[in-house]
PDB file of all heavy atoms in Angstrom:
ATOM      1  N   LEU A   1      -0.787  -4.086   7.625  1.00  0.00           N
ATOM      2  CA  LEU A   1      -1.586  -3.609   6.538  1.00  0.00           C
ATOM      3  C   LEU A   1      -1.938  -2.122   6.746  1.00  0.00           C
ATOM      4  O   LEU A   1      -1.902  -1.370   5.757  1.00  0.00           O
ATOM      5  CB  LEU A   1      -2.883  -4.442   6.467  1.00  0.00           C
ATOM      6  CG  LEU A   1      -2.800  -5.903   5.924  1.00  0.00           C
ATOM      7  CD1 LEU A   1      -4.123  -6.526   5.816  1.00  0.00           C
ATOM      8  CD2 LEU A   1      -2.032  -5.980   4.570  1.00  0.00           C
ATOM      9  N   VAL A   2      -2.279  -1.757   7.934  1.00  0.00           N
ATOM     10  CA  VAL A   2      -2.696  -0.336   8.239  1.00  0.00           C
ATOM     11  C   VAL A   2      -1.556   0.575   7.846  1.00  0.00           C
ATOM     12  O   VAL A   2      -1.660   1.593   7.253  1.00  0.00           O
ATOM     13  CB  VAL A   2      -3.075  -0.197   9.737  1.00  0.00           C
ATOM     14  CG1 VAL A   2      -3.185   1.305  10.057  1.00  0.00           C
ATOM     15  CG2 VAL A   2      -4.416  -0.931  10.015  1.00  0.00           C
ATOM     16  N   LEU A   3      -0.313   0.187   8.260  1.00  0.00           N
ATOM     17  CA  LEU A   3       0.880   1.014   8.007  1.00  0.00           C
ATOM     18  C   LEU A   3       1.312   1.009   6.542  1.00  0.00           C
ATOM     19  O   LEU A   3       1.953   1.917   6.051  1.00  0.00           O
ATOM     20  CB  LEU A   3       2.053   0.582   8.861  1.00  0.00           C
ATOM     21  CG  LEU A   3       2.114   1.162  10.269  1.00  0.00           C
ATOM     22  CD1 LEU A   3       3.284   0.743  11.002  1.00  0.00           C
ATOM     23  CD2 LEU A   3       2.091   2.677  10.243  1.00  0.00           C
ATOM     24  N   SER A   4       1.041  -0.077   5.885  1.00  0.00           N
ATOM     25  CA  SER A   4       1.572  -0.216   4.523  1.00  0.00           C
ATOM     26  C   SER A   4       1.011   0.880   3.593  1.00  0.00           C
ATOM     27  O   SER A   4       1.706   1.385   2.736  1.00  0.00           O
ATOM     28  CB  SER A   4       1.163  -1.575   3.917  1.00  0.00           C
ATOM     29  OG  SER A   4      -0.248  -1.727   3.667  1.00  0.00           O
ATOM     30  N   GLU A   5      -0.156   1.384   3.855  1.00  0.00           N
ATOM     31  CA  GLU A   5      -0.734   2.448   3.038  1.00  0.00           C
ATOM     32  C   GLU A   5       0.127   3.728   3.212  1.00  0.00           C
ATOM     33  O   GLU A   5       0.453   4.365   2.176  1.00  0.00           O
ATOM     34  CB  GLU A   5      -2.110   2.678   3.426  1.00  0.00           C
ATOM     35  CG  GLU A   5      -2.807   3.804   2.583  1.00  0.00           C
ATOM     36  CD  GLU A   5      -4.269   4.070   2.985  1.00  0.00           C
ATOM     37  OE1 GLU A   5      -4.730   3.388   3.957  1.00  0.00           O
ATOM     38  OE2 GLU A   5      -4.862   5.023   2.406  1.00  0.00           O
ATOM     39  N   SER A   6       0.463   4.078   4.469  1.00  0.00           N
ATOM     40  CA  SER A   6       1.230   5.300   4.663  1.00  0.00           C
ATOM     41  C   SER A   6       2.632   5.270   3.972  1.00  0.00           C
ATOM     42  O   SER A   6       2.946   6.218   3.344  1.00  0.00           O
ATOM     43  CB  SER A   6       1.430   5.472   6.208  1.00  0.00           C
ATOM     44  OG  SER A   6       0.226   5.606   6.853  1.00  0.00           O
ATOM     45  N   PHE A   7       3.290   4.163   4.093  1.00  0.00           N
ATOM     46  CA  PHE A   7       4.662   4.051   3.486  1.00  0.00           C
ATOM     47  C   PHE A   7       4.549   3.891   1.940  1.00  0.00           C
ATOM     48  O   PHE A   7       5.396   4.371   1.258  1.00  0.00           O
ATOM     49  CB  PHE A   7       5.354   2.946   4.081  1.00  0.00           C
ATOM     50  CG  PHE A   7       5.730   3.178   5.538  1.00  0.00           C
ATOM     51  CD1 PHE A   7       5.083   2.580   6.550  1.00  0.00           C
ATOM     52  CD2 PHE A   7       6.644   4.200   5.909  1.00  0.00           C
ATOM     53  CE1 PHE A   7       5.431   2.787   7.809  1.00  0.00           C
ATOM     54  CE2 PHE A   7       7.004   4.441   7.147  1.00  0.00           C
ATOM     55  CZ  PHE A   7       6.367   3.767   8.190  1.00  0.00           C
ATOM     56  N   ALA A   8       3.442   3.248   1.438  1.00  0.00           N
ATOM     57  CA  ALA A   8       3.317   3.144  -0.002  1.00  0.00           C
ATOM     58  C   ALA A   8       3.105   4.567  -0.566  1.00  0.00           C
ATOM     59  O   ALA A   8       3.545   4.795  -1.698  1.00  0.00           O
ATOM     60  CB  ALA A   8       2.131   2.291  -0.285  1.00  0.00           C
ATOM     61  N   HIS A   9       2.403   5.423   0.092  1.00  0.00           N
ATOM     62  CA  HIS A   9       2.213   6.781  -0.380  1.00  0.00           C
ATOM     63  C   HIS A   9       3.599   7.554  -0.546  1.00  0.00           C
ATOM     64  O   HIS A   9       3.698   8.393  -1.305  1.00  0.00           O
ATOM     65  CB  HIS A   9       1.281   7.585   0.549  1.00  0.00           C
ATOM     66  CG  HIS A   9      -0.128   7.243   0.320  1.00  0.00           C
ATOM     67  ND1 HIS A   9      -0.758   7.062  -0.903  1.00  0.00           N
ATOM     68  CD2 HIS A   9      -1.150   7.063   1.226  1.00  0.00           C
ATOM     69  CE1 HIS A   9      -2.004   6.805  -0.792  1.00  0.00           C
ATOM     70  NE2 HIS A   9      -2.272   6.773   0.528  1.00  0.00           N
ATOM     71  N   LEU A  10       4.493   7.216   0.332  1.00  0.00           N
ATOM     72  CA  LEU A  10       5.856   7.850   0.232  1.00  0.00           C
ATOM     73  C   LEU A  10       6.604   7.407  -1.051  1.00  0.00           C
ATOM     74  O   LEU A  10       7.316   8.142  -1.699  1.00  0.00           O
ATOM     75  CB  LEU A  10       6.712   7.537   1.428  1.00  0.00           C
ATOM     76  CG  LEU A  10       6.317   8.208   2.747  1.00  0.00           C
ATOM     77  CD1 LEU A  10       7.280   7.789   3.913  1.00  0.00           C
ATOM     78  CD2 LEU A  10       6.203   9.716   2.665  1.00  0.00           C
ATOM     79  N   LEU A  11       6.329   6.191  -1.428  1.00  0.00           N
ATOM     80  CA  LEU A  11       7.011   5.588  -2.595  1.00  0.00           C
ATOM     81  C   LEU A  11       6.319   5.988  -3.865  1.00  0.00           C
ATOM     82  O   LEU A  11       6.965   6.331  -4.932  1.00  0.00           O
ATOM     83  CB  LEU A  11       7.126   4.145  -2.480  1.00  0.00           C
ATOM     84  CG  LEU A  11       7.940   3.516  -1.348  1.00  0.00           C
ATOM     85  CD1 LEU A  11       7.803   2.047  -1.336  1.00  0.00           C
ATOM     86  CD2 LEU A  11       9.367   3.942  -1.454  1.00  0.00           C
ATOM     87  N   VAL A  12       5.021   5.895  -3.925  1.00  0.00           N
ATOM     88  CA  VAL A  12       4.192   6.234  -5.026  1.00  0.00           C
ATOM     89  C   VAL A  12       3.014   7.074  -4.616  1.00  0.00           C
ATOM     90  O   VAL A  12       2.088   6.625  -3.984  1.00  0.00           O
ATOM     91  CB  VAL A  12       3.632   4.966  -5.777  1.00  0.00           C
ATOM     92  CG1 VAL A  12       2.847   5.229  -7.018  1.00  0.00           C
ATOM     93  CG2 VAL A  12       4.771   3.910  -6.053  1.00  0.00           C
ATOM     94  N   ARG A  13       3.130   8.371  -5.038  1.00  0.00           N
ATOM     95  CA  ARG A  13       2.053   9.270  -4.609  1.00  0.00           C
ATOM     96  C   ARG A  13       0.731   9.093  -5.296  1.00  0.00           C
ATOM     97  O   ARG A  13      -0.368   9.278  -4.778  1.00  0.00           O
ATOM     98  CB  ARG A  13       2.582  10.741  -4.894  1.00  0.00           C
ATOM     99  CG  ARG A  13       3.781  11.145  -4.190  1.00  0.00           C
ATOM    100  CD  ARG A  13       3.667  11.125  -2.636  1.00  0.00           C
ATOM    101  NE  ARG A  13       4.863  11.398  -1.925  1.00  0.00           N
ATOM    102  CZ  ARG A  13       5.392  12.516  -1.651  1.00  0.00           C
ATOM    103  NH1 ARG A  13       4.767  13.615  -2.100  1.00  0.00           N
ATOM    104  NH2 ARG A  13       6.542  12.669  -1.054  1.00  0.00           N
ATOM    105  N   ALA A  14       0.839   8.613  -6.553  1.00  0.00           N
ATOM    106  CA  ALA A  14      -0.433   8.317  -7.338  1.00  0.00           C
ATOM    107  C   ALA A  14      -1.072   7.048  -6.929  1.00  0.00           C
ATOM    108  O   ALA A  14      -0.372   6.125  -6.360  1.00  0.00           O
ATOM    109  CB  ALA A  14      -0.138   8.334  -8.887  1.00  0.00           C
ATOM    110  N   GLY A  15      -2.344   6.906  -7.166  1.00  0.00           N
ATOM    111  CA  GLY A  15      -2.981   5.697  -6.966  1.00  0.00           C
ATOM    112  C   GLY A  15      -3.755   5.746  -5.631  1.00  0.00           C
ATOM    113  O   GLY A  15      -3.405   6.461  -4.714  1.00  0.00           O
ATOM    114  N   ALA A  16      -4.814   4.895  -5.517  1.00  0.00           N
ATOM    115  CA  ALA A  16      -5.667   4.807  -4.376  1.00  0.00           C
ATOM    116  C   ALA A  16      -4.939   3.963  -3.285  1.00  0.00           C
ATOM    117  O   ALA A  16      -4.246   3.094  -3.562  1.00  0.00           O
ATOM    118  CB  ALA A  16      -7.045   4.266  -4.676  1.00  0.00           C
ATOM    119  N   GLY A  17      -5.239   4.390  -2.002  1.00  0.00           N
ATOM    120  CA  GLY A  17      -4.660   3.668  -0.872  1.00  0.00           C
ATOM    121  C   GLY A  17      -5.080   2.145  -0.852  1.00  0.00           C
ATOM    122  O   GLY A  17      -4.308   1.289  -0.458  1.00  0.00           O
ATOM    123  N   VAL A  18      -6.329   1.874  -1.205  1.00  0.00           N
ATOM    124  CA  VAL A  18      -6.862   0.566  -1.190  1.00  0.00           C
ATOM    125  C   VAL A  18      -6.029  -0.356  -2.155  1.00  0.00           C
ATOM    126  O   VAL A  18      -5.730  -1.466  -1.822  1.00  0.00           O
ATOM    127  CB  VAL A  18      -8.347   0.486  -1.517  1.00  0.00           C
ATOM    128  CG1 VAL A  18      -8.851  -0.935  -1.663  1.00  0.00           C
ATOM    129  CG2 VAL A  18      -9.177   1.255  -0.410  1.00  0.00           C
ATOM    130  N   GLU A  19      -5.770   0.197  -3.271  1.00  0.00           N
ATOM    131  CA  GLU A  19      -4.958  -0.664  -4.217  1.00  0.00           C
ATOM    132  C   GLU A  19      -3.614  -0.990  -3.711  1.00  0.00           C
ATOM    133  O   GLU A  19      -3.149  -2.101  -3.858  1.00  0.00           O
ATOM    134  CB  GLU A  19      -4.798   0.188  -5.542  1.00  0.00           C
ATOM    135  CG  GLU A  19      -6.141   0.467  -6.315  1.00  0.00           C
ATOM    136  CD  GLU A  19      -5.982   1.420  -7.476  1.00  0.00           C
ATOM    137  OE1 GLU A  19      -4.857   1.950  -7.628  1.00  0.00           O
ATOM    138  OE2 GLU A  19      -6.938   1.602  -8.188  1.00  0.00           O
ATOM    139  N   LYS A  20      -2.975   0.006  -3.011  1.00  0.00           N
ATOM    140  CA  LYS A  20      -1.657  -0.213  -2.468  1.00  0.00           C
ATOM    141  C   LYS A  20      -1.678  -1.292  -1.365  1.00  0.00           C
ATOM    142  O   LYS A  20      -0.821  -2.118  -1.203  1.00  0.00           O
ATOM    143  CB  LYS A  20      -0.977   1.058  -1.967  1.00  0.00           C
ATOM    144  CG  LYS A  20      -0.770   2.066  -3.092  1.00  0.00           C
ATOM    145  CD  LYS A  20      -0.375   3.417  -2.589  1.00  0.00           C
ATOM    146  CE  LYS A  20      -0.271   4.406  -3.730  1.00  0.00           C
ATOM    147  NZ  LYS A  20      -0.027   5.754  -3.296  1.00  0.00           N
ATOM    148  N   ILE A  21      -2.708  -1.237  -0.531  1.00  0.00           N
ATOM    149  CA  ILE A  21      -2.870  -2.169   0.535  1.00  0.00           C
ATOM    150  C   ILE A  21      -3.068  -3.547   0.020  1.00  0.00           C
ATOM    151  O   ILE A  21      -2.502  -4.529   0.552  1.00  0.00           O
ATOM    152  CB  ILE A  21      -4.106  -1.780   1.439  1.00  0.00           C
ATOM    153  CG1 ILE A  21      -3.728  -0.587   2.311  1.00  0.00           C
ATOM    154  CG2 ILE A  21      -4.503  -2.987   2.333  1.00  0.00           C
ATOM    155  CD1 ILE A  21      -4.860  -0.037   3.049  1.00  0.00           C
ATOM    156  N   ILE A  22      -3.890  -3.756  -1.057  1.00  0.00           N
ATOM    157  CA  ILE A  22      -4.106  -5.047  -1.615  1.00  0.00           C
ATOM    158  C   ILE A  22      -2.931  -5.603  -2.283  1.00  0.00           C
ATOM    159  O   ILE A  22      -2.561  -6.798  -2.087  1.00  0.00           O
ATOM    160  CB  ILE A  22      -5.233  -4.937  -2.685  1.00  0.00           C
ATOM    161  CG1 ILE A  22      -6.605  -4.679  -1.968  1.00  0.00           C
ATOM    162  CG2 ILE A  22      -5.305  -6.209  -3.451  1.00  0.00           C
ATOM    163  CD1 ILE A  22      -7.723  -4.433  -2.915  1.00  0.00           C
ATOM    164  N   ILE A  23      -2.073  -4.752  -2.952  1.00  0.00           N
ATOM    165  CA  ILE A  23      -0.802  -5.217  -3.525  1.00  0.00           C
ATOM    166  C   ILE A  23       0.159  -5.712  -2.450  1.00  0.00           C
ATOM    167  O   ILE A  23       0.811  -6.758  -2.515  1.00  0.00           O
ATOM    168  CB  ILE A  23      -0.108  -4.115  -4.333  1.00  0.00           C
ATOM    169  CG1 ILE A  23      -0.993  -3.826  -5.642  1.00  0.00           C
ATOM    170  CG2 ILE A  23       1.239  -4.482  -4.728  1.00  0.00           C
ATOM    171  CD1 ILE A  23      -0.569  -2.580  -6.371  1.00  0.00           C
ATOM    172  N   PHE A  24       0.365  -4.869  -1.382  1.00  0.00           N
ATOM    173  CA  PHE A  24       1.130  -5.234  -0.264  1.00  0.00           C
ATOM    174  C   PHE A  24       0.737  -6.579   0.357  1.00  0.00           C
ATOM    175  O   PHE A  24       1.495  -7.467   0.625  1.00  0.00           O
ATOM    176  CB  PHE A  24       1.203  -4.169   0.793  1.00  0.00           C
ATOM    177  CG  PHE A  24       1.926  -4.518   2.069  1.00  0.00           C
ATOM    178  CD1 PHE A  24       3.264  -4.329   2.208  1.00  0.00           C
ATOM    179  CD2 PHE A  24       1.194  -5.144   3.147  1.00  0.00           C
ATOM    180  CE1 PHE A  24       3.948  -4.681   3.364  1.00  0.00           C
ATOM    181  CE2 PHE A  24       1.872  -5.521   4.270  1.00  0.00           C
ATOM    182  CZ  PHE A  24       3.239  -5.242   4.413  1.00  0.00           C
ATOM    183  N   TRP A  25      -0.646  -6.702   0.631  1.00  0.00           N
ATOM    184  CA  TRP A  25      -1.139  -7.896   1.297  1.00  0.00           C
ATOM    185  C   TRP A  25      -0.884  -9.076   0.459  1.00  0.00           C
ATOM    186  O   TRP A  25      -0.404 -10.116   0.934  1.00  0.00           O
ATOM    187  CB  TRP A  25      -2.661  -7.717   1.415  1.00  0.00           C
ATOM    188  CG  TRP A  25      -3.435  -8.935   1.672  1.00  0.00           C
ATOM    189  CD1 TRP A  25      -3.492  -9.675   2.751  1.00  0.00           C
ATOM    190  CD2 TRP A  25      -4.233  -9.571   0.678  1.00  0.00           C
ATOM    191  NE1 TRP A  25      -4.243 -10.826   2.552  1.00  0.00           N
ATOM    192  CE2 TRP A  25      -4.729 -10.790   1.306  1.00  0.00           C
ATOM    193  CE3 TRP A  25      -4.658  -9.250  -0.651  1.00  0.00           C
ATOM    194  CZ2 TRP A  25      -5.622 -11.675   0.620  1.00  0.00           C
ATOM    195  CZ3 TRP A  25      -5.496 -10.147  -1.303  1.00  0.00           C
ATOM    196  CH2 TRP A  25      -5.973 -11.313  -0.675  1.00  0.00           C
ATOM    197  N   PHE A  26      -1.111  -9.012  -0.935  1.00  0.00           N
ATOM    198  CA  PHE A  26      -0.857 -10.212  -1.730  1.00  0.00           C
ATOM    199  C   PHE A  26       0.569 -10.623  -1.815  1.00  0.00           C
ATOM    200  O   PHE A  26       0.866 -11.826  -1.611  1.00  0.00           O
ATOM    201  CB  PHE A  26      -1.399  -9.829  -3.135  1.00  0.00           C
ATOM    202  CG  PHE A  26      -1.205 -11.018  -4.062  1.00  0.00           C
ATOM    203  CD1 PHE A  26      -2.090 -12.069  -4.079  1.00  0.00           C
ATOM    204  CD2 PHE A  26      -0.125 -11.010  -4.953  1.00  0.00           C
ATOM    205  CE1 PHE A  26      -1.904 -13.156  -4.926  1.00  0.00           C
ATOM    206  CE2 PHE A  26       0.099 -12.060  -5.861  1.00  0.00           C
ATOM    207  CZ  PHE A  26      -0.815 -13.164  -5.854  1.00  0.00           C
ATOM    208  N   LEU A  27       1.483  -9.662  -2.031  1.00  0.00           N
ATOM    209  CA  LEU A  27       2.950  -9.973  -2.160  1.00  0.00           C
ATOM    210  C   LEU A  27       3.433 -10.569  -0.708  1.00  0.00           C
ATOM    211  O   LEU A  27       4.149 -11.517  -0.750  1.00  0.00           O
ATOM    212  CB  LEU A  27       3.633  -8.758  -2.406  1.00  0.00           C
ATOM    213  CG  LEU A  27       3.438  -8.223  -3.884  1.00  0.00           C
ATOM    214  CD1 LEU A  27       4.297  -6.936  -4.052  1.00  0.00           C
ATOM    215  CD2 LEU A  27       3.821  -9.274  -4.940  1.00  0.00           C
ATOM    216  N   ALA A  28       3.050  -9.925   0.349  1.00  0.00           N
ATOM    217  CA  ALA A  28       3.561 -10.416   1.685  1.00  0.00           C
ATOM    218  C   ALA A  28       2.950 -11.769   2.005  1.00  0.00           C
ATOM    219  O   ALA A  28       3.710 -12.681   2.586  1.00  0.00           O
ATOM    220  CB  ALA A  28       3.182  -9.391   2.769  1.00  0.00           C
TER     221      ALA A  28
END
């Protein structure tokens, strides 16, 4: 989860980090 935020920022620059972590967490 900690790393997912960093890599999600490479894919989608817009949006908050918390939102990206929650999306990754739910899908995984």
